Amino acid sequence: MTRQLHLNAFLMSTGHHEASWRLPESDPFANTSVQHYQSLAQIAERGKFDSIFFADSPVLFGDVGRRPAGSLEPTVLLTAIAAATSRIGLIATASTTYNDPFNLARRFASVDHVSGGRAGWNVVTTAGPEAAKNFNLADQPAHAERYDRAAEFLEVAYKLWDSWQDDAAIADKSSGVWALNDRVVPIDHVGRHFQVRGPLNLPRSPQGHPLIVQAGSSEDGKGLAARYAEAVFTAQQTLEDAQDFYRDLKARTAALGRDPDTIKILPGIVPVIGGTVEEALRLEQQLDELIRPEYARLQLARTLRVKPEDLPFDQQLPDDLPDEDEIEGAKSRYTLIVTLARREKLTVRELIGRLGGGRGHRTFSGTPEQVADAIQDWFEADAADGFNIMPAVLPSGLTAFVDEVVPILQRRGLFRTDYTGTTLRDHYGLARPAGRTASLQEATA
Amino acid sequence: MTRQLHLNAFLMSTGHHEASWRLPESDPFANTSVQHYQSLAQIAERGKFDSIFFADSPVLFGDVGRRPAGSLEPTVLLTAIAAATSRIGLIATASTTYNDPFNLARRFASVDHVSGGRAGWNVVTTAGPEAAKNFNLADQPAHAERYDRAAEFLEVAYKLWDSWQDDAAIADKSSGVWALNDRVVPIDHVGRHFQVRGPLNLPRSPQGHPLIVQAGSSEDGKGLAARYAEAVFTAQQTLEDAQDFYRDLKARTAALGRDPDTIKILPGIVPVIGGTVEEALRLEQQLDELIRPEYARLQLARTLRVKPEDLPFDQQLPDDLPDEDEIEGAKSRYTLIVTLARREKLTVRELIGRLGGGRGHRTFSGTPEQVADAIQDWFEADAADGFNIMPAVLPSGLTAFVDEVVPILQRRGLFRTDYTGTTLRDHYGLARPAGRTASLQEATA
Ligand SMILES: Cc1cc2nc3c(=O)[nH]c(=O)nc-3n(C[C@H](O)[C@H](O)[C@H](O)COP(=O)(O)O)c2cc1C
Ligand SMILES: Cc1cc2nc3c(=O)[nH]c(=O)nc-3n(C[C@H](O)[C@H](O)[C@H](O)COP(=O)(O)O)c2cc1C
């Protein structure tokens, strides 16, 4: 069988285009509607997607005037979706900067239990000073410090997930012994950021560990991904950039002694699908015309750490922007936006149009055949192991992808026609991690 | 209509009796089975219960040999149950000592959204040094300090829940304005324990605030309840104790300017139901014989802060136990156990038998008629507004209560025959809190 694509549906209220909520078809209260998301997940499951995914940040970000704002906490939302689906993987974003490992490790293990082994965790360090102010801090911890904490956070989480052996509970009713004490052990973690005694207050979950996903593309972000991630979301504008990123991250992974095939790299794509090219472009244009540029400029100014007045709509970006080194927030997104604007000599207005669709992700408008080609090209050119599908409008953009693009990919032998496993790890072709306690015991036995 | 009882089903794996998992009928892996809990919730909903409830602590407590240990995180579990039910309220325990207000306030608001207004939060301060060690601490904060933090935690949560006006989102597609900026405001909380900027990253939820439940009965616990709680769980062994507690807490509530009817007091009861008294007593005895006394003594020793060797099975408790004042853990449970043992001159073995059923809650064995009488007596003697029903064995004990005791209470006109509202607040007869932002605006308008 040829190498198989992996597809993740990145879901966001009425769609990734910031003006999608203004279309007549859109439910502007979709952001708090569990029925909306359950139905999207069912569409993605019908399309045999590996997983669905929710981004998240513990702060109300940007301007509530601009687009539907506020969102359901992702582990809660995915649990509600678990009940309405049976196979598709469920990936929630959670911050290592503004959570603590005991509670979060338990919550992901709980979602894994409740969903029968379908939980994934997008591990993020949360960029920006705004979030910090919701957690007793005046400003965010430095970028390097956040990533240092993230690595230790994951180490603690692994230890907690493995603190119960899979076979700890023997449930012997006649002798009255429920579990064996030496199979449930404290972790006694003592580190720079955390002291955690353990064990977890929950037996080991169906997948052992939830799938670990990572989505920051700075140097530190790639370092974390190479060490821990099993799937990586990334924003790449050109084939060459995507190939460089892919090569780099696979090499880093191999250099750490991991099989590079155990890390799946999924660039984002915002497909705008039409029956003809003209129809697709018309839809894209209709959406772009609904953007309110003053809101979008405010957001851009915030990302670039300049004042909105410094960004006249009909001029290119100012020359004296800071280096990535000086950015303590989202380094890789910053660089992507500046590089895109400079390379294509875009005015602020044009840049806003380009970002309105996918916030830095690649937008591709065309027929189903053309979208399938775009996916296949990158896949076969070693730029991707699959894609993070980010429909501009929801649900219609997802329905179009599932009904029109997926069958083409299936006919070309690039994508599954049915699920072959039951867990999220099964879908991504990743093994269930052996319990560390168990292997420790074997090693010393 | 006569005053109506409120009933909450306190659910716990195979039942509240610590040996319940050893019965042939019990699923010893029920503690991680979402299907088990969904089915229990459906039984309680069939019985028109106000709510179901899960206790919780962020630590693996006690001995895993003793009984099914570890549990699904309650907000996740209740979300999964929300999908399988439509009316019954869903109350999760969460600690104010080992969480932070932004994330937790959002999570409860999320459960409230997802369940259509059925979320409740049992606010606890988490007793014992063990939990602290999972959160970077060597020991628990002092009892008074934990309650001080709990009060400020709640203040922050209220502000966050009210940081969006109910009518903040206008979703005006034609002008492109989704929400009005002046209806979503920062809370700028600065206090002893927390600095939280806000606003919450989620629109106001169906109930405005989840129902606030409280379950600690120490002096500080009662103080917190009088100020904030809308329902109170409590363990009371005798009618007189329960009446004292009821009178005391209603008076404290009134003294703070609240209508005492807005705080519902629910003592726990562990009903053991049989077709005849003999049958009920036989079941109770069968369960007690399955207790492994060495496990139970270990637990008792831990609660009393003595060594197990200091508790010979056939002697009464030692005379030189500490005062409640010296206990930094669960003060009221400590006092209840010591008082019970002294009052009834119980040996350690007898005390273990009494605690094995309900860990300090009142056990009542009898026919359905007798159980209904026991409930009615306390209810009409102003010892309770309702009960926390804690079946010794699950599901059978809950099924028996719903099918045999509830109809009697209904025939006597003491309990609803159907739901009249849709939210948890509706069931408890409590108003939806007005948004503070809204009233602030009106006040200054
Ligand atoms: C598809 C995708 C989804 C992301 N989702 C989140 C998210 O939900 N929350 C978050 O804090 N960061 C998210 N990020 C990462 C940020 O964009 C940003 O890169 C990161 O917070 C900082 O990483 P960096 O400095 O390593 O680039 C996502 C990135 C990608 C490519
Ligand atoms: C029915 C009931 C349920 C309770 N559930 C919990 C719980 O889940 N977690 C917890 O930490 N405390 C719980 N408590 C409270 C503890 O028993 C203990 O009283 C409390 O943690 C400390 O409060 P106090 O020192 O004010 O008594 C519960 C109490 C009752 C009566």
Side-chain angles (χ1 to χ4, degrees), chain A residues 28 32 43 56 66 82 85 99 108 124 129 131 164 177 207 224 256 260 287 300 307 334 361 388 406 420 428 431:
Chain A
T32 52
I43 296 168
D56 198 54
R66 186 182 184 193
T85 54
N99 276 290
F108 275 103
V124 299
W164 289 63
V177 175
Q207 292 189 111
L224 189 80
L256 291 173
L287 282 164
L300 181 63
K307 294 199 219 70
Y334 173 83
H361 287 268
N388 199 9
V406 165
T420 53
Y428 279 99

PDB file of all heavy atoms in Angstrom, chain A residues 28 32 43 56 66 82 85 99 108 124 129 131 164 177 207 224 256 260 287 300 307 334 361 388 406 420 428 431:
ATOM      1  N   PRO A  28     -24.182  32.601  14.118  1.00  0.00           N
ATOM      2  CA  PRO A  28     -23.182  33.435  14.801  1.00  0.00           C
ATOM      3  C   PRO A  28     -22.966  33.041  16.265  1.00  0.00           C
ATOM      4  O   PRO A  28     -22.059  33.564  16.911  1.00  0.00           O
ATOM      5  CB  PRO A  28     -23.764  34.847  14.679  1.00  0.00           C
ATOM      6  CG  PRO A  28     -25.226  34.649  14.515  1.00  0.00           C
ATOM      7  CD  PRO A  28     -25.412  33.337  13.807  1.00  0.00           C
ATOM      8  N   THR A  32     -20.508  28.670  21.027  1.00  0.00           N
ATOM      9  CA  THR A  32     -20.897  28.030  22.294  1.00  0.00           C
ATOM     10  C   THR A  32     -21.925  26.910  22.091  1.00  0.00           C
ATOM     11  O   THR A  32     -22.567  26.480  23.052  1.00  0.00           O
ATOM     12  CB  THR A  32     -21.468  29.055  23.295  1.00  0.00           C
ATOM     13  OG1 THR A  32     -22.505  29.796  22.643  1.00  0.00           O
ATOM     14  CG2 THR A  32     -20.391  30.000  23.792  1.00  0.00           C
ATOM     15  N   ILE A  43     -19.470  14.917  10.658  1.00  0.00           N
ATOM     16  CA  ILE A  43     -19.106  15.077   9.241  1.00  0.00           C
ATOM     17  C   ILE A  43     -17.666  14.615   9.017  1.00  0.00           C
ATOM     18  O   ILE A  43     -17.374  13.860   8.088  1.00  0.00           O
ATOM     19  CB  ILE A  43     -19.283  16.551   8.806  1.00  0.00           C
ATOM     20  CG1 ILE A  43     -20.753  16.960   8.895  1.00  0.00           C
ATOM     21  CG2 ILE A  43     -18.742  16.763   7.385  1.00  0.00           C
ATOM     22  CD1 ILE A  43     -20.984  18.476   8.777  1.00  0.00           C
ATOM     23  N   ASP A  56      -6.718  26.714  21.582  1.00  0.00           N
ATOM     24  CA  ASP A  56      -7.193  27.315  22.826  1.00  0.00           C
ATOM     25  C   ASP A  56      -6.162  28.218  23.466  1.00  0.00           C
ATOM     26  O   ASP A  56      -4.958  28.014  23.332  1.00  0.00           O
ATOM     27  CB  ASP A  56      -7.588  26.251  23.846  1.00  0.00           C
ATOM     28  CG  ASP A  56      -8.466  26.848  24.932  1.00  0.00           C
ATOM     29  OD1 ASP A  56      -9.479  27.463  24.579  1.00  0.00           O
ATOM     30  OD2 ASP A  56      -8.117  26.751  26.123  1.00  0.00           O
ATOM     31  N   ARG A  66     -15.158  41.878  16.618  1.00  0.00           N
ATOM     32  CA  ARG A  66     -14.662  41.411  15.331  1.00  0.00           C
ATOM     33  C   ARG A  66     -15.307  40.129  14.816  1.00  0.00           C
ATOM     34  O   ARG A  66     -15.614  40.000  13.636  1.00  0.00           O
ATOM     35  CB  ARG A  66     -13.161  41.193  15.479  1.00  0.00           C
ATOM     36  CG  ARG A  66     -12.456  40.846  14.215  1.00  0.00           C
ATOM     37  CD  ARG A  66     -10.980  40.610  14.538  1.00  0.00           C
ATOM     38  NE  ARG A  66     -10.219  40.369  13.337  1.00  0.00           N
ATOM     39  CZ  ARG A  66      -8.975  39.896  13.348  1.00  0.00           C
ATOM     40  NH1 ARG A  66      -8.385  39.656  14.510  1.00  0.00           N
ATOM     41  NH2 ARG A  66      -8.335  39.681  12.240  1.00  0.00           N
ATOM     42  N   ALA A  82     -17.212  13.234  22.160  1.00  0.00           N
ATOM     43  CA  ALA A  82     -16.940  11.786  22.251  1.00  0.00           C
ATOM     44  C   ALA A  82     -18.241  11.005  22.278  1.00  0.00           C
ATOM     45  O   ALA A  82     -18.359   9.937  21.672  1.00  0.00           O
ATOM     46  CB  ALA A  82     -16.101  11.477  23.491  1.00  0.00           C
ATOM     47  N   THR A  85     -19.798  10.509  18.737  1.00  0.00           N
ATOM     48  CA  THR A  85     -18.963   9.900  17.691  1.00  0.00           C
ATOM     49  C   THR A  85     -18.411   8.591  18.238  1.00  0.00           C
ATOM     50  O   THR A  85     -18.530   8.320  19.439  1.00  0.00           O
ATOM     51  CB  THR A  85     -17.773  10.822  17.335  1.00  0.00           C
ATOM     52  OG1 THR A  85     -17.056  11.137  18.538  1.00  0.00           O
ATOM     53  CG2 THR A  85     -18.248  12.117  16.681  1.00  0.00           C
ATOM     54  N   ASN A  99      -1.223  25.843  33.446  1.00  0.00           N
ATOM     55  CA  ASN A  99      -1.874  24.711  34.092  1.00  0.00           C
ATOM     56  C   ASN A  99      -0.845  24.083  35.007  1.00  0.00           C
ATOM     57  O   ASN A  99       0.320  24.460  34.991  1.00  0.00           O
ATOM     58  CB  ASN A  99      -2.325  23.675  33.051  1.00  0.00           C
ATOM     59  CG  ASN A  99      -3.658  24.017  32.440  1.00  0.00           C
ATOM     60  OD1 ASN A  99      -4.693  23.934  33.107  1.00  0.00           O
ATOM     61  ND2 ASN A  99      -3.657  24.425  31.182  1.00  0.00           N
ATOM     62  N   PHE A 108      -6.564  14.735  30.823  1.00  0.00           N
ATOM     63  CA  PHE A 108      -6.395  14.068  29.532  1.00  0.00           C
ATOM     64  C   PHE A 108      -6.569  12.558  29.669  1.00  0.00           C
ATOM     65  O   PHE A 108      -7.154  11.919  28.793  1.00  0.00           O
ATOM     66  CB  PHE A 108      -5.047  14.433  28.898  1.00  0.00           C
ATOM     67  CG  PHE A 108      -5.123  15.717  28.128  1.00  0.00           C
ATOM     68  CD1 PHE A 108      -4.612  16.897  28.644  1.00  0.00           C
ATOM     69  CD2 PHE A 108      -5.763  15.755  26.896  1.00  0.00           C
ATOM     70  CE1 PHE A 108      -4.714  18.089  27.938  1.00  0.00           C
ATOM     71  CE2 PHE A 108      -5.865  16.944  26.181  1.00  0.00           C
ATOM     72  CZ  PHE A 108      -5.342  18.113  26.701  1.00  0.00           C
ATOM     73  N   VAL A 124       0.881  23.478  24.159  1.00  0.00           N
ATOM     74  CA  VAL A 124       1.333  24.822  23.768  1.00  0.00           C
ATOM     75  C   VAL A 124       1.833  25.587  24.990  1.00  0.00           C
ATOM     76  O   VAL A 124       1.466  25.286  26.131  1.00  0.00           O
ATOM     77  CB  VAL A 124       0.218  25.644  23.067  1.00  0.00           C
ATOM     78  CG1 VAL A 124      -0.242  24.956  21.792  1.00  0.00           C
ATOM     79  CG2 VAL A 124      -0.933  25.938  24.008  1.00  0.00           C
ATOM     80  N   PRO A 129       1.407  38.529  26.599  1.00  0.00           N
ATOM     81  CA  PRO A 129       1.340  38.951  27.993  1.00  0.00           C
ATOM     82  C   PRO A 129      -0.082  38.921  28.552  1.00  0.00           C
ATOM     83  O   PRO A 129      -0.274  38.885  29.769  1.00  0.00           O
ATOM     84  CB  PRO A 129       1.851  40.394  27.943  1.00  0.00           C
ATOM     85  CG  PRO A 129       1.568  40.861  26.552  1.00  0.00           C
ATOM     86  CD  PRO A 129       1.659  39.650  25.673  1.00  0.00           C
ATOM     87  N   ALA A 131      -2.510  36.620  28.596  1.00  0.00           N
ATOM     88  CA  ALA A 131      -2.891  35.425  29.360  1.00  0.00           C
ATOM     89  C   ALA A 131      -2.291  35.470  30.758  1.00  0.00           C
ATOM     90  O   ALA A 131      -2.947  35.122  31.750  1.00  0.00           O
ATOM     91  CB  ALA A 131      -2.452  34.161  28.626  1.00  0.00           C
ATOM     92  N   TRP A 164       0.546   3.967  37.198  1.00  0.00           N
ATOM     93  CA  TRP A 164      -0.190   2.713  37.348  1.00  0.00           C
ATOM     94  C   TRP A 164       0.273   1.758  36.257  1.00  0.00           C
ATOM     95  O   TRP A 164       0.256   2.111  35.075  1.00  0.00           O
ATOM     96  CB  TRP A 164      -1.702   2.930  37.134  1.00  0.00           C
ATOM     97  CG  TRP A 164      -2.414   3.666  38.205  1.00  0.00           C
ATOM     98  CD1 TRP A 164      -2.212   4.947  38.609  1.00  0.00           C
ATOM     99  CD2 TRP A 164      -3.504   3.165  38.993  1.00  0.00           C
ATOM    100  NE1 TRP A 164      -3.096   5.279  39.600  1.00  0.00           N
ATOM    101  CE2 TRP A 164      -3.909   4.202  39.853  1.00  0.00           C
ATOM    102  CE3 TRP A 164      -4.185   1.937  39.044  1.00  0.00           C
ATOM    103  CZ2 TRP A 164      -4.951   4.045  40.771  1.00  0.00           C
ATOM    104  CZ3 TRP A 164      -5.225   1.790  39.951  1.00  0.00           C
ATOM    105  CH2 TRP A 164      -5.587   2.841  40.805  1.00  0.00           C
ATOM    106  N   VAL A 177      -8.841  -8.113  47.541  1.00  0.00           N
ATOM    107  CA  VAL A 177      -7.741  -7.225  47.134  1.00  0.00           C
ATOM    108  C   VAL A 177      -8.080  -6.657  45.766  1.00  0.00           C
ATOM    109  O   VAL A 177      -8.206  -7.395  44.781  1.00  0.00           O
ATOM    110  CB  VAL A 177      -6.403  -7.989  47.068  1.00  0.00           C
ATOM    111  CG1 VAL A 177      -5.298  -7.074  46.521  1.00  0.00           C
ATOM    112  CG2 VAL A 177      -6.029  -8.502  48.457  1.00  0.00           C
ATOM    113  N   GLN A 207      -5.036   4.444  25.811  1.00  0.00           N
ATOM    114  CA  GLN A 207      -3.850   4.669  24.972  1.00  0.00           C
ATOM    115  C   GLN A 207      -2.542   4.706  25.763  1.00  0.00           C
ATOM    116  O   GLN A 207      -1.490   4.917  25.169  1.00  0.00           O
ATOM    117  CB  GLN A 207      -3.978   5.982  24.201  1.00  0.00           C
ATOM    118  CG  GLN A 207      -5.057   5.990  23.134  1.00  0.00           C
ATOM    119  CD  GLN A 207      -4.969   7.238  22.262  1.00  0.00           C
ATOM    120  OE1 GLN A 207      -4.637   7.162  21.103  1.00  0.00           O
ATOM    121  NE2 GLN A 207      -5.279   8.389  22.823  1.00  0.00           N
ATOM    122  N   LEU A 224      11.262  21.027  21.185  1.00  0.00           N
ATOM    123  CA  LEU A 224      10.269  20.308  21.988  1.00  0.00           C
ATOM    124  C   LEU A 224       9.573  19.242  21.145  1.00  0.00           C
ATOM    125  O   LEU A 224       9.371  18.106  21.589  1.00  0.00           O
ATOM    126  CB  LEU A 224       9.234  21.300  22.544  1.00  0.00           C
ATOM    127  CG  LEU A 224       8.270  20.725  23.584  1.00  0.00           C
ATOM    128  CD1 LEU A 224       8.942  20.654  24.959  1.00  0.00           C
ATOM    129  CD2 LEU A 224       6.989  21.553  23.684  1.00  0.00           C
ATOM    130  N   LEU A 256      17.718  12.604  17.871  1.00  0.00           N
ATOM    131  CA  LEU A 256      17.442  12.268  19.272  1.00  0.00           C
ATOM    132  C   LEU A 256      17.178  10.770  19.444  1.00  0.00           C
ATOM    133  O   LEU A 256      16.735  10.318  20.504  1.00  0.00           O
ATOM    134  CB  LEU A 256      16.248  13.075  19.780  1.00  0.00           C
ATOM    135  CG  LEU A 256      16.501  14.583  19.947  1.00  0.00           C
ATOM    136  CD1 LEU A 256      15.206  15.313  20.279  1.00  0.00           C
ATOM    137  CD2 LEU A 256      17.539  14.836  21.038  1.00  0.00           C
ATOM    138  N   PRO A 260      12.019   8.743  12.731  1.00  0.00           N
ATOM    139  CA  PRO A 260      11.351   9.955  12.214  1.00  0.00           C
ATOM    140  C   PRO A 260       9.929   9.684  11.726  1.00  0.00           C
ATOM    141  O   PRO A 260       9.139  10.625  11.556  1.00  0.00           O
ATOM    142  CB  PRO A 260      12.263  10.414  11.068  1.00  0.00           C
ATOM    143  CG  PRO A 260      13.214   9.309  10.810  1.00  0.00           C
ATOM    144  CD  PRO A 260      13.259   8.436  12.020  1.00  0.00           C
ATOM    145  N   LEU A 287     -15.858  36.630   0.989  1.00  0.00           N
ATOM    146  CA  LEU A 287     -15.426  36.604   2.384  1.00  0.00           C
ATOM    147  C   LEU A 287     -14.485  37.772   2.679  1.00  0.00           C
ATOM    148  O   LEU A 287     -14.647  38.477   3.687  1.00  0.00           O
ATOM    149  CB  LEU A 287     -14.723  35.273   2.685  1.00  0.00           C
ATOM    150  CG  LEU A 287     -15.652  34.077   2.901  1.00  0.00           C
ATOM    151  CD1 LEU A 287     -14.882  32.768   2.810  1.00  0.00           C
ATOM    152  CD2 LEU A 287     -16.353  34.198   4.258  1.00  0.00           C
ATOM    153  N   LEU A 300      -3.235  42.740  13.754  1.00  0.00           N
ATOM    154  CA  LEU A 300      -1.913  42.680  13.139  1.00  0.00           C
ATOM    155  C   LEU A 300      -0.918  43.513  13.939  1.00  0.00           C
ATOM    156  O   LEU A 300       0.204  43.071  14.224  1.00  0.00           O
ATOM    157  CB  LEU A 300      -2.005  43.187  11.697  1.00  0.00           C
ATOM    158  CG  LEU A 300      -0.701  43.182  10.869  1.00  0.00           C
ATOM    159  CD1 LEU A 300      -0.193  41.753  10.687  1.00  0.00           C
ATOM    160  CD2 LEU A 300      -0.925  43.836   9.497  1.00  0.00           C
ATOM    161  N   LYS A 307       2.049  50.176  16.893  1.00  0.00           N
ATOM    162  CA  LYS A 307       0.744  50.827  17.009  1.00  0.00           C
ATOM    163  C   LYS A 307      -0.016  50.709  15.689  1.00  0.00           C
ATOM    164  O   LYS A 307       0.598  50.735  14.621  1.00  0.00           O
ATOM    165  CB  LYS A 307       0.921  52.310  17.342  1.00  0.00           C
ATOM    166  CG  LYS A 307       1.536  52.557  18.718  1.00  0.00           C
ATOM    167  CD  LYS A 307       1.266  54.000  19.174  1.00  0.00           C
ATOM    168  CE  LYS A 307       2.473  54.579  19.890  1.00  0.00           C
ATOM    169  NZ  LYS A 307       3.644  54.856  19.001  1.00  0.00           N
ATOM    170  N   TYR A 334       5.152  35.243  14.065  1.00  0.00           N
ATOM    171  CA  TYR A 334       5.658  36.581  13.789  1.00  0.00           C
ATOM    172  C   TYR A 334       6.520  36.573  12.524  1.00  0.00           C
ATOM    173  O   TYR A 334       6.299  37.341  11.573  1.00  0.00           O
ATOM    174  CB  TYR A 334       6.467  37.073  14.997  1.00  0.00           C
ATOM    175  CG  TYR A 334       7.191  38.373  14.770  1.00  0.00           C
ATOM    176  CD1 TYR A 334       6.521  39.586  14.930  1.00  0.00           C
ATOM    177  CD2 TYR A 334       8.523  38.390  14.387  1.00  0.00           C
ATOM    178  CE1 TYR A 334       7.181  40.784  14.709  1.00  0.00           C
ATOM    179  CE2 TYR A 334       9.190  39.582  14.165  1.00  0.00           C
ATOM    180  CZ  TYR A 334       8.517  40.778  14.333  1.00  0.00           C
ATOM    181  OH  TYR A 334       9.166  41.959  14.114  1.00  0.00           O
ATOM    182  N   HIS A 361      -1.856  30.651   7.689  1.00  0.00           N
ATOM    183  CA  HIS A 361      -1.853  29.369   7.001  1.00  0.00           C
ATOM    184  C   HIS A 361      -2.097  29.599   5.512  1.00  0.00           C
ATOM    185  O   HIS A 361      -2.607  30.624   5.090  1.00  0.00           O
ATOM    186  CB  HIS A 361      -2.926  28.446   7.597  1.00  0.00           C
ATOM    187  CG  HIS A 361      -2.545  27.927   8.951  1.00  0.00           C
ATOM    188  ND1 HIS A 361      -1.881  26.750   9.133  1.00  0.00           N
ATOM    189  CD2 HIS A 361      -2.711  28.451  10.188  1.00  0.00           C
ATOM    190  CE1 HIS A 361      -1.654  26.554  10.419  1.00  0.00           C
ATOM    191  NE2 HIS A 361      -2.152  27.571  11.090  1.00  0.00           N
ATOM    192  N   ASN A 388      -3.573  19.654   8.103  1.00  0.00           N
ATOM    193  CA  ASN A 388      -4.495  20.215   9.059  1.00  0.00           C
ATOM    194  C   ASN A 388      -5.508  21.003   8.225  1.00  0.00           C
ATOM    195  O   ASN A 388      -5.189  22.078   7.709  1.00  0.00           O
ATOM    196  CB  ASN A 388      -3.682  21.136   9.991  1.00  0.00           C
ATOM    197  CG  ASN A 388      -4.388  21.433  11.270  1.00  0.00           C
ATOM    198  OD1 ASN A 388      -5.421  20.836  11.573  1.00  0.00           O
ATOM    199  ND2 ASN A 388      -3.843  22.360  12.032  1.00  0.00           N
ATOM    200  N   VAL A 406     -12.257  14.278  -0.340  1.00  0.00           N
ATOM    201  CA  VAL A 406     -11.865  12.990   0.245  1.00  0.00           C
ATOM    202  C   VAL A 406     -12.043  11.833  -0.747  1.00  0.00           C
ATOM    203  O   VAL A 406     -11.122  11.008  -0.897  1.00  0.00           O
ATOM    204  CB  VAL A 406     -12.609  12.733   1.582  1.00  0.00           C
ATOM    205  CG1 VAL A 406     -12.490  11.273   2.008  1.00  0.00           C
ATOM    206  CG2 VAL A 406     -12.061  13.656   2.674  1.00  0.00           C
ATOM    207  N   THR A 420      -9.260   1.486  10.377  1.00  0.00           N
ATOM    208  CA  THR A 420      -8.817   0.109  10.626  1.00  0.00           C
ATOM    209  C   THR A 420      -8.568  -0.129  12.109  1.00  0.00           C
ATOM    210  O   THR A 420      -8.422  -1.273  12.531  1.00  0.00           O
ATOM    211  CB  THR A 420      -7.513  -0.196   9.849  1.00  0.00           C
ATOM    212  OG1 THR A 420      -6.549   0.815  10.180  1.00  0.00           O
ATOM    213  CG2 THR A 420      -7.768  -0.161   8.347  1.00  0.00           C
ATOM    214  N   TYR A 428      -3.114   7.246  13.521  1.00  0.00           N
ATOM    215  CA  TYR A 428      -1.837   7.841  13.090  1.00  0.00           C
ATOM    216  C   TYR A 428      -0.732   6.794  12.942  1.00  0.00           C
ATOM    217  O   TYR A 428       0.418   7.139  12.681  1.00  0.00           O
ATOM    218  CB  TYR A 428      -1.408   8.953  14.066  1.00  0.00           C
ATOM    219  CG  TYR A 428      -2.124  10.270  13.806  1.00  0.00           C
ATOM    220  CD1 TYR A 428      -3.237  10.659  14.558  1.00  0.00           C
ATOM    221  CD2 TYR A 428      -1.693  11.124  12.792  1.00  0.00           C
ATOM    222  CE1 TYR A 428      -3.903  11.854  14.309  1.00  0.00           C
ATOM    223  CE2 TYR A 428      -2.349  12.323  12.533  1.00  0.00           C
ATOM    224  CZ  TYR A 428      -3.449  12.683  13.295  1.00  0.00           C
ATOM    225  OH  TYR A 428      -4.097  13.860  13.035  1.00  0.00           O
ATOM    226  N   ALA A 431       2.389   3.403  17.961  1.00  0.00           N
ATOM    227  CA  ALA A 431       2.249   2.337  18.951  1.00  0.00           C
ATOM    228  C   ALA A 431       1.750   2.880  20.284  1.00  0.00           C
ATOM    229  O   ALA A 431       1.933   4.057  20.602  1.00  0.00           O
ATOM    230  CB  ALA A 431       3.595   1.653  19.154  1.00  0.00           C
TER     231      ALA A 431
END
